[in-house]
Amino acid sequence: MAANTKAKDRRVAFATIAGTTIEYYDFFIYAQAAGMVFSTLMFEPLGSEFGMMLSLATIGISFLFRPLGAFLAGHWGDRFGRRAVLVATLIGMGVCTTLIGLLPTYAQIGIAAPIALLVLRLIQGLCAGGEWGGAALMAVEHAAPHKRGLAGTYPQMGVSLGMLLATGVFALRTGVISPGDAFLEWGWRVPFILSFVLVLLGHFIRRSVDETPIYQDIAERKQQTKAPVAVLFKKHWALIICAAVLFAGTNASGYIATGGFVTAYTTNPDGPIAFDRTTAMLCISSAAGVWFLTTLISGIVSDYFGRRNACLFGYLWLIVFAFPMFALVNTAEPLKVAAGLSLFAVGLGFSFGPQAAWYTELFPANIRFSGVSISYGIGTVIGGAFAPTIGQGLLEATGSTNGIAVYIIVMSALSCFAALLLHDVPRRALGIDHQEEQEHYARLRLGKTEPYTAAPQLVDAHADSQAAPANPDDLERVTT
């Protein structure tokens, strides 16, 4: 039995990491291409500065469709299960990414090129809106209560691995296989077309994983909510907003430091850094590696010290190192740029890593997919959607990166405030039998909230076989 449980845990871990890695590889190669080539290839008549701003804005425009994707995925995921939604979002994202790699440029078909690019980007946003929430639930709902923080890092690590894979592929294309003009002519297309192969692999992996035990229990009892999104907004709208703000800070910071803005800033030939594309990609890749490792560490830490404490540490780190990060980037020395981005990425990992487990523990079982996905989708709009565009606008308005550092600090401070308003009750039961307890904590910490005492059981029935023996001090140790 123990061997079967460990084998199942490995399959779940591999499926969530692999699937999320592939999906965010698709998303990040677009962000890198927007910072390096799309302003020239798709928005050529607008000139370098305005073309760059519009190219970066296409990153944000797709985020506007993430909440809609989250609404649809949440409804289907709460009614029909987590696994089917995850397979659909993966295929949809991969097909759109491959088609972007096959698009003609503005020079070839005129205005139809940026229009087609935008349409495919919007569909990507719809698919991404359902991806993270489903992956988070697949990982955390399969996990033993005392390992939820660690399990929740699986989809989180997939995001940083997707970034690492995207920057690595682009560095290989720009520096070795298709440098210089060859990259603009055809080299940029290869990372997009490669997505088709990765999606086939991811589809096979995700199909091998069973539905989560919690949803299986809900389905067997026929206790699915007919209109989960409507119930969610009627009863928990304040929780949605607060959970969205919790994510917004790390999302905005990530898209500034490792997403489209830094790529555009460091590779601008008329800017203060003027790196070649390969050097910039290698610097960002080093930060992505640190982000991956600290995400894993933060999940483990959150299992011992709570989700809130781990997140607050990460956000305070981002606040402290926002100005030093840009100071090192502005030296225009590759090692110092890599060091600045990597140092900043420690905060990204700690603020991001515990959030999958925390989100899962925030929402009641019968509307959990909707709650997790919609909160995350709204958080991406508040946070990363237009962060590269805002960064570019602040840079052009002030001629300095100081305003961008202040922007990071403000967004991180807002997320700290949200973290203080959310309940943090790790190890409590997530199954449908404990819906009343889940509703009790699905509210903001405004004043004193009495601990739930009607059902003191801490672990779900389905998890008893894999859970560690309950610690009698757990009820006293959790923070509400």
Side-chain angles (χ1 to χ4, degrees):
M1 178 66 73
N4 290 339
T5 298
K6 289 183 179 179
K8 184 198 74 172
D9 290 344
R10 285 194 294 269
R11 283 199 306 272
V12 171
F14 188 51
T16 51
I17 291 175
T20 310
T21 297
I22 294 166
E23 194 124 6
Y24 278 87
Y25 163 81
D26 290 351
F27 224 74
F28 283 127
I29 59 171
Y30 186 93
Q32 304 298 350
M36 288 192 291
V37 300
F38 285 158
S39 61
T40 301
L41 297 178
M42 300 295 180
F43 304 100
E44 183 180 2
L46 299 177
S48 59
E49 289 190 0
F50 192 66
M52 177 60 72
M53 287 194 68
L54 191 55
S55 178
L56 294 176
T58 61
I59 299 174
I61 289 171
S62 75
F63 278 81
L64 298 178
F65 279 70
R66 279 195 178 194
L68 177 57
F71 274 74
L72 296 173
H75 176 82
W76 292 328
D78 282 323
R79 295 219 53 198
F80 307 113
R82 285 56 164 139
R83 191 179 72 165
V85 173
L86 282 176
V87 171
T89 58
L90 181 68
I91 293 174
M93 191 85 170
V95 169
C96 288
T97 302
T98 303
L99 290 176
I100 288 174
L102 299 174
L103 276 180
T105 65
Y106 185 92
Q108 294 170 316
I109 62 171
I111 192 66
I115 291 174
L117 178 68
L118 185 59
V119 169
L120 291 172
R121 186 64 179 156
L122 295 181
I123 298 173
Q124 278 189 324
L126 285 173
C127 295
E131 159 62 26
W132 184 86
L137 296 189
M138 185 65 73
V140 178
E141 288 187 346
H142 270 288
H146 65 293
K147 292 184 178 180
R148 287 182 192 147
L150 172 61
T153 64
Y154 300 155
Q156 311 296 70
M157 289 189 294
V159 177
S160 53
L161 279 177
M163 165 64 77
L164 192 61
L165 182 60
T167 53
V169 169
F170 264 112
L172 187 63
R173 303 304 304 179
T174 58
V176 180
I177 299 175
S178 52
D181 291 341
F183 181 73
L184 277 177
E185 290 171 4
W186 61 271
W188 68 271
R189 298 181 181 276
V190 177
F192 289 90
I193 298 172
L194 177 63
S195 175
F196 182 74
V197 178
L198 297 176
V199 166
L200 291 178
L201 175 63
H203 174 71
F204 173 77
I205 293 169
R206 281 195 167 168
R207 294 282 296 180
S208 68
V209 178
D210 294 332
E211 184 58 82
T212 72
I214 288 174
Y215 183 79
Q216 286 179 354
D217 189 35
I218 293 173
E220 287 171 3
R221 301 184 188 195
K222 300 187 184 302
Q223 293 188 10
Q224 300 99 321
T225 303
K226 290 184 178 180
V229 175
V231 173
L232 175 70
F233 275 91
K234 181 180 179 180
K235 300 177 68 174
H236 304 297
W237 62 268
L239 181 62
I240 294 169
I241 294 172
C242 198
V245 175
L246 173 71
F247 175 63
T250 190
N251 195 230
S253 301
Y255 269 89
I256 289 290
T258 59
F261 174 77
V262 161
T263 303
Y265 180 61
T266 55
T267 59
N268 181 0
D270 299 321
I273 313 299
F275 281 169
D276 61 83
R277 299 184 184 101
T278 304
T279 300
M281 291 297 96
L282 290 175
C283 290
I284 294 172
S285 294
S286 68
V290 173
W291 185 11
F292 172 82
L293 291 174
T294 53
T295 296
L296 174 62
I297 294 169
S298 71
I300 298 171
V301 168
S302 78
D303 277 328
Y304 287 92
F305 299 103
R307 322 298 182 214
R308 182 187 301 121
N309 290 333
C311 280
L312 286 174
F313 174 82
Y315 278 123
L316 291 174
W317 186 284
L318 294 179
I319 289 171
V320 170
F321 287 98
F323 277 101
M325 183 262 290
F326 276 114
L328 288 168
V329 168
N330 287 327
T331 64
E333 299 177 26
L335 288 178
K336 290 183 179 179
V337 172
L341 295 176
S342 298
L343 188 66
F344 190 74
V346 173
L348 292 177
F350 269 89
S351 60
F352 186 51
Q355 290 193 28
W358 199 358
Y359 267 52
T360 303
E361 292 164 342
L362 283 176
F363 292 95
N366 64 342
I367 55 170
R368 186 171 293 139
F369 200 129
S370 298
V372 169
S373 295
I374 291 171
S375 298
Y376 183 84
I378 295 174
T380 63
V381 174
I382 301 171
F386 295 102
T389 309
I390 291 171
Q392 187 68 23
L394 289 170
L395 179 66
E396 292 180 8
T398 65
S400 167
T401 55
N402 290 338
I404 307 169
V406 171
Y407 169 65
I408 290 173
I409 290 170
V410 170
M411 294 300 297
S412 297
L414 288 173
S415 293
C416 285
F417 181 67
L420 296 174
L421 291 178
L422 293 170
H423 286 285
D424 179 18
V425 191
R427 300 196 187 190
R428 65 181 174 83
L430 298 180
I432 193 69
D433 283 335
H434 300 269
Q435 185 85 1
E436 184 178 327
E437 179 187 5
Q438 294 159 17
E439 294 283 354
H440 177 79
Y441 288 114
R443 64 183 76 176
L444 301 186
R445 298 171 68 233
L446 301 175
K448 181 176 176 58
T449 301
E450 294 297 329
Y452 182 80
T453 57
Q457 180 180 352
L458 283 179
V459 294
D460 295 320
H462 77 269
D464 284 343
S465 62
Q466 59 178 322
N471 185 336
D473 295 329
D474 282 340
L475 278 175
E476 286 73 33
R477 285 194 295 107
V478 296
T479 57
T480 59

